[in-house]
Amino acid sequence: MKLNFILLAIVIAFIICYCFSKKKKIQEGQISVAPQTSGGLLNGYEDILIGVSEDYKLFRFNNPKKEWQQLRGKSCCVTDLAYWNDTLLGVGRYDHRLYAWDKMGVRGGLWKLATNLPMEWMQSIGVWKNKLFSANQQSLFRWTGKADGKSVDPFKRGKGNKPAWVWCGAKPNVKSIKEYRNQLYVVDKQGRIEMFVDGKLDQNGKLKGSWKRIGQPTEGLRSICEWNDKLMGIGTDNHLYEWSDERQNWFSKTTKFKLLSIMSLSYDQYQSQFNKPKI
């Protein structure tokens, strides 16, 4: 009888250890039952990381496999990305103008000029407080078109409504513009991250606040984005890095793929741009 109890206890202990040691995996687009302790995911769909490769084509990051996969369509040639008004946007490699991703169905899409402003010139774009921003070699600009769901095309200049790029603050050679935890962040001309402290838009649409450098003084970045509540970056070596709040430093992700720019899309946003539903 005593031996039976010992054997039963061993079996129960083995089952408990197995259950606690079994690792749960969350794939892109699946429902997360609980946040991952290592990744800090919130409940819900996992966001999808996309990037521009060194040959100016669009790729997505397959998180479980830790590899980059090329997206369908004629995705060349842009240098930076943003998502605004249900539209994927890019900066043209050759003319530095604003482009919009045109969904073409099961075979992918292509880039088309978003505005009819031949004199526009930008090197980076981003979104903060649902406003679209761009940067040239000297300053930041805000697009006056509205993303309220009512404007069919907020990029074209019509007779009544004439959206345009308006100056909103001096900031030379910004490489990347992103929103992270509701704050405005940029990568400056030296590859350092700066946060817009106490930032807001005044009644004239100008940026009011102060810029503060954060992160490591030795960091060298060219692009950043928020991905599943984590801060990701592309280094000057064009490799993917992740910021650790606990260790206050950047750490390389296990991928040798080289990129120019990255951004994150929600699962629904990704589906709307690259997996057009069949009718």
Side-chain angles (χ1 to χ4, degrees), residues 128-129 178-185 196 199 226:
W128 180 54
K129 294 184 180 294
K178 292 294 190 298
E179 183 173 355
Y180 177 58
R181 295 177 179 173
N182 299 319
Q183 300 293 322
L184 178 60
Y185 286 75
F196 196 44
E226 181 175 2

Side-chain angles (χ1 to χ4, degrees), residues 141-209:
F141 295 82
R142 177 181 56 85
W143 183 250
T144 59
K146 295 182 179 180
D148 54 8
K150 298 178 182 179
S151 302
V152 178
D153 194 342
F155 299 107
K156 301 298 182 181
R157 293 171 64 91
K159 293 182 179 180
N161 183 22
K162 296 183 178 181
W165 292 108
V166 295
W167 185 90
C168 62
K171 196 68 179 167
N173 291 313
V174 168
K175 298 180 180 180
S176 183
I177 307 168
K178 292 294 190 298
E179 183 173 355
Y180 177 58
R181 295 177 179 173
N182 299 319
Q183 300 293 322
L184 178 60
Y185 286 75
V186 300
V187 176
D188 65 22
K189 61 182 180 180
Q190 295 180 339
R192 295 283 307 279
I193 287 186
E194 295 189 37
M195 181 177 68
F196 196 44
V197 181
D198 298 326
K200 64 179 181 179
L201 289 170
D202 65 15
Q203 59 183 1
N204 296 318
K206 303 296 188 296
L207 290 170
K208 294 295 181 182

Side-chain angles (χ1 to χ4, degrees), residues 24-26 30-36 41-44:
K24 294 181 179 180
K25 294 183 178 180
I26 302 172
Q30 288 185 334
I31 294 292
S32 171
V33 177
Q36 288 184 339
L41 290 180
L42 301 176
N43 290 341

